[in-house]
Amino acid sequence: MLTALEGAYGDRADAVGVAGRTASYEELLGAARAVAADVAGLPAFAVSATPSLETVAAAVGGLLAGVPFVPLPPDAGPAEREHILRDSGARLMGADFARRSAWTGPAPAPGDPALILYTSGTTGAPKGVVLTRAALAADLDALAEAWQWTAEDTLVHGLPLFHVHGLVLGVLGALRTGSRLVHTGRPTPDAYAGAGGSLYFGVPTVWSRIAREPSAAAALSGARLLVSGSAALPAPVFRDLERLTGHRPVERYGMTETLITISGRAGGEVRPGTVGTPLPGIRTRIAAEPGAEIGELQLTGPTLFAGYLGRPQDTAAAYTEDGWFRTGDIAAVDAADGVHRIVGRASIDMIKSGGYRIGAGEIENALLDHPKVSEAAVVGVPDADLGQRIVAFVVAEGVTGTELTDFVAAHLSVHKRPREVRFVSAVPRNAMGKPQKRLLLADEPGEGV
């Protein structure tokens, strides 16, 4: 699976760089074999997944040994860390990139577990998502085709190494394609601007900050492709990046349980607010009510997880009776070209107001088009008359709620206007930049968590 470590692409001295430290493939392989020697025979092992060469070596060592790797968020509190270790049965290991070993062992099977990644736990304790070697390989090969990703690329990102985006795409993807990896440690505009990459990964928060620094954005004009994921990229940020860099960023869609399943294509038409078409081997469908344009996105394909660790009932509940995975995300598909648009989560982003089914994402994008608005999160709250009323939480200066309501009504259908605008200092987000709307609703009757 790790073709770069098999010598297919030579052995550059700076093949892998993380937070200013670099290593050749030979050095990485030696360090990874030392990890493999330590963990061989364990049911699973965990490492605090700091942005470091040690974390990269741990991930590779687990793949070599055929032992599932459990990356722990470095900022996890004691309760979260204890839950993950107990639930996974993983042994917590230290890391030392200076150690080397010539360890070898039998090749693991494609269907063997490679990673156990824990969900965010927004609806209860985090669940362990078991990802197989075959699923990882299928996904990375499909993305390499979609993004024309090769060993000639230099991949740059500064994403956390305990999520699919940063670890699977951003580390294992580089090692499978042979592209040079530059992990910036932190995803700052200056770090991205100075990295000299051809391929850049970022989440909307990263791209928004880069777009606010024109000189940093202009430095990316020599890149080949900018990719955004993990949350919807606001249309204004898309347009700013296009104007400043000359690139229309590609968006893609995925989940921990499915890996990346839908994406825009390098060299293809890219439209703001859309995530492209299914990757090779992936089939999708929209489970919508009669007459509705939007509904739950369901899919099937070779990149899906092997199940929730130790939770067969939860695993079964994640699938329909005919075997399609329920994403819980609301989407629409353009009938003409099959391009997908993600509206939001069914649990919180599908608003049923006055007999209409309304996607929160559409209203958020409309609000973000207002020049005085920097952040927006839209939710539905219980309403005796409407069923749910649309409430917008907004970070803005120099504008009133009525002005924003009128602005949305002028851009979208009148029934999609917010009935209430609440001004906040910031929209709470997780490590990947996804809005945590349930925190905004914590004091709302019937909506607390």
Side-chain angles (χ1 to χ4, degrees):
M1 180 175 166
L2 301 167
T3 53
L5 300 184
E6 296 171 355
Y9 308 110
D11 193 30
R12 295 174 293 220
D14 60 350
V16 178
V18 184
R21 298 165 60 203
T22 60
S24 68
Y25 291 138
E26 182 181 8
E27 290 169 331
L28 173 58
L29 183 58
R33 283 175 170 161
V35 174
D38 290 341
V39 304
L42 295 178
F45 75 104
V47 166
S48 180
T50 58
S52 63
L53 288 174
E54 283 76 14
T55 299
V56 175
V60 174
L63 289 170
L64 294 175
V67 176
F69 173 48
V70 183
L72 285 171
D75 61 350
E80 180 182 1
R81 179 179 292 247
E82 181 182 348
H83 166 75
I84 291 174
L85 293 174
R86 182 178 63 252
D87 187 74
S88 65
R91 179 184 296 178
L92 181 61
M93 309 289 289
D96 180 2
F97 194 78
R99 295 177 57 218
R100 299 288 185 268
S101 172
W103 179 93
T104 59
D112 287 349
L115 299 173
I116 303 174
L117 303 183
Y118 276 77
T119 62
S120 59
T122 56
T123 57
K127 297 189 289 289
V129 175
V130 181
L131 298 170
T132 67
R133 303 168 69 88
L136 298 177
D139 200 54
L140 294 175
D141 287 347
L143 290 173
E145 178 183 334
W147 297 341
Q148 299 173 16
W149 185 5
T150 73
E152 300 302 314
D153 281 305
T154 293
L155 169 63
V156 176
H157 73 92
L159 302 172
L161 299 187
F162 50 91
H163 287 291
V164 166
H165 198 167
L167 179 61
V168 177
L169 278 60
V171 172
L172 301 185
L175 293 175
R176 187 159 178 85
T177 61
S179 62
R180 179 170 169 257
L181 170 62
V182 177
H183 189 291
T184 59
R186 297 180 63 245
T188 65
D190 286 346
Y192 272 46
S198 61
L199 175 61
Y200 284 81
F201 292 167
V203 297
T205 301
V206 172
W207 294 125
S208 176
R209 290 172 180 172
I210 289 173
R212 291 200 297 267
E213 297 194 20
S215 61
L220 305 188
S221 60
R224 183 179 64 78
L225 189 68
L226 310 182
V227 180
S228 182
S230 297
L233 183 69
V237 177
F238 180 102
R239 292 193 292 267
D240 287 345
L241 286 173
E242 181 180 17
R243 174 174 54 85
L244 293 167
T245 70
H247 296 291
R248 295 171 69 84
V250 164
E251 291 193 71
R252 84 299 182 282
Y253 168 81
M255 300 176 63
T256 306
E257 292 90 337
T258 68
L259 300 176
I260 308 307
T261 51
I262 305 169
S263 179
R265 302 303 199 266
E269 181 185 2
V270 178
R271 302 197 298 269
T274 65
V275 294
T277 55
L279 294 174
I282 301 296
R283 291 187 295 152
T284 66
R285 70 184 185 188
I286 302 297
E289 295 180 357
E293 295 181 354
I294 59 177
E296 184 189 40
L297 174 65
Q298 299 175 354
L299 51 84
T300 185
T303 68
L304 268 66
F305 71 143
Y308 295 112
L309 183 67
R311 298 172 183 255
Q313 291 183 330
D314 287 340
T315 302
Y319 287 86
T320 64
E321 291 184 359
D322 57 348
W324 290 67
F325 180 77
R326 307 175 188 268
T327 66
D329 284 318
I330 302 302
V333 179
D334 190 310
D337 56 15
V339 170
H340 288 53
R341 176 169 57 88
I342 306 299
V343 175
R345 291 295 294 171
S347 59
I348 198 166
D349 292 318
M350 172 63 78
I351 302 171
K352 298 178 181 179
S353 182
Y356 294 99
R357 293 168 64 87
I358 303 164
E362 185 178 20
I363 306 170
E364 290 163 356
N365 275 331
L367 286 165
L368 289 167
D369 269 333
H370 194 286
K372 300 292 183 63
V373 175
S374 58
E375 292 186 81
V378 171
V379 298
V381 302
D383 186 275
D385 178 46
L386 298 169
Q388 286 183 305
R389 70 180 184 278
I390 300 170
V391 176
F393 292 84
V394 174
V395 179
E397 292 184 1
V399 65
T400 67
T402 298
E403 289 172 333
L404 291 179
T405 295
D406 292 344
F407 182 81
V408 172
H411 283 69
L412 305 176
S413 302
V414 174
H415 70 265
K416 296 179 180 179
R417 71 191 187 283
R419 301 291 179 138
E420 182 182 351
V421 176
R422 302 181 188 179
F423 292 95
V424 294
S425 59
V427 172
R429 300 177 184 275
N430 66 14
M432 299 303 290
K434 294 182 180 180
Q436 301 297 283
K437 295 184 180 182
R438 293 186 183 277
L439 297 179
L440 294 170
L441 293 171
D443 296 327
E444 196 70 35
E447 295 287 347
V449 294

